[in-house]
């Protein structure tokens, strides 16, 4: 089975650009970031044991799609004729796609995270992410807050205000889960966030956090839902600052999907 047939069977589409979530005119940087984001949702490390084999297969197919589009000659062939060179260098059978993925993204530093957070909060990108999360999760604030980057429970009033304005302007629909959310659910979310913040602070003290490896250790110490949120945050950092491949750089993965 060729790559396009594999894509159609695994994802329901043979459009390589759609698999990466990027437009056909995407720049190399956009392709790389799209691949990074898409692969986070499929990374085998994130799959339950019973789903790992299928996750690995889909992850490998996604890697092949990116390999084709990141190769100028292969991309030109695909754009012009809608086909791929199955015998070309980009799709050679012996490639280890997990290692290929790891080599694309370098480790990040605490300074990278601080710089990103400063520029991200209240930016157009964050506003778009908030609205997208609201629609993705149909107004479920628990899932919205878990999915957004660089936020804690103290940001919730700001997040709610953004959503309320978007509803008023007609940019997004009005979901009952949001407009009719109970006080009990709001308080439960706040208590859970406060508890997790205390646990994270305790872990930082125990680990003596200072560099990216320590950040990885912190991620691994969190429960699964929050682990996914932090993983995606780190991935956004790597997509933003990891412009050149760095051998030996390993990373984790994760993220959201519609309920």
């Amino acid at each position: 089975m060729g790559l396009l047939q594999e894509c159609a069977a695994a994802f329901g589409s043979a459009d390589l650009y759609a698999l990466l979530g990027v437009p056909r005119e995407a720049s190399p940087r956009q392709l790389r970031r799209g691949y990074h984001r898409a692969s986070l949702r499929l990374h085998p490390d994130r799959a339950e044991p019973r789903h790992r084999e299928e996750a690995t297969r889909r992850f490998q197919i996604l890697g092949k799609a990116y390999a084709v589009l990141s190769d100028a000659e292969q991309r030109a062939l695909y754009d012009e004729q809608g086909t791929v060179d199955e015998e070309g260098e980009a799709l050679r059978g012996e490639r280890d796609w997990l290692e290929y993925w790891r080599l694309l993204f370098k480790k990040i530093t605490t300074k990278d995270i601080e710089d990103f957070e400063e520029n991200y909060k209240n930016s157009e990108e964050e506003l778009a992410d908030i609205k997208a999360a609201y629609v993705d999760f149909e107004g479920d604030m628990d899932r919205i807050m878990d999915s957004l980057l660089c936020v804690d429970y103290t940001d919730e009033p700001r997040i709610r205000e953004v959503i309320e304005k978007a509803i008023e302007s007609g940019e997004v629909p009005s979901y009952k889960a949001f407009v009719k959310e109970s006080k009990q659910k709001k308080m439960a979310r706040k208590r859970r966030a406060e508890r997790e913040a205390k646990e994270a602070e305790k872990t930082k003290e125990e680990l003596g956090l200072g560099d990216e490896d320590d950040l990885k250790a912190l991620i691994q110490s969190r429960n699964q839902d929050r682990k996914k949120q932090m993983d995606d945050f780190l991935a956004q950092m790597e997509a933003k600052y990891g412009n050149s491949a760095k051998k030996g750089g390993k990373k984790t993965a994760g993220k959201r999907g519609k309920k």
Side-chain angles (χ1 to χ4, degrees), residues 39-40 43 46 101 227-228 231-232 251-255:
S39 64
L40 292 176
H43 199 288
R46 284 291 166 270
W101 185 80
K227 182 171 184 285
K228 288 181 180 178
D231 282 346
D232 191 59
K251 61 180 290 300
T252 53
K255 176 114 173 195

Side-chain angles (χ1 to χ4, degrees), residues 43-96:
H43 199 288
D45 289 351
R46 284 291 166 270
E48 296 293 333
R50 66 182 183 278
H51 299 311
R52 191 156 295 153
E53 183 176 349
E54 175 63 12
T56 298
R57 184 176 74 87
R58 287 160 60 87
F59 182 83
Q60 291 171 341
I61 294 171
L62 194 69
K64 293 178 183 180
Y66 175 72
V68 167
L69 295 181
S70 62
D71 181 288
E73 292 185 4
Q74 282 270 27
R75 183 177 182 180
L77 175 65
Y78 176 71
D79 287 346
E80 293 170 8
Q81 301 182 23
T83 61
V84 298
D85 179 6
E86 301 287 348
E87 303 299 322
E89 179 72 10
L91 298 180
R92 67 181 188 273
E94 69 274 14
R95 174 172 284 176
D96 183 333

Side-chain angles (χ1 to χ4, degrees), residues 128-143:
D129 287 345
I130 292 171
K131 295 171 190 175
Y134 171 76
V135 172
D136 282 349
F137 302 122
E138 298 182 353
D140 185 335
M141 280 299 290
D142 284 349
R143 301 183 73 188

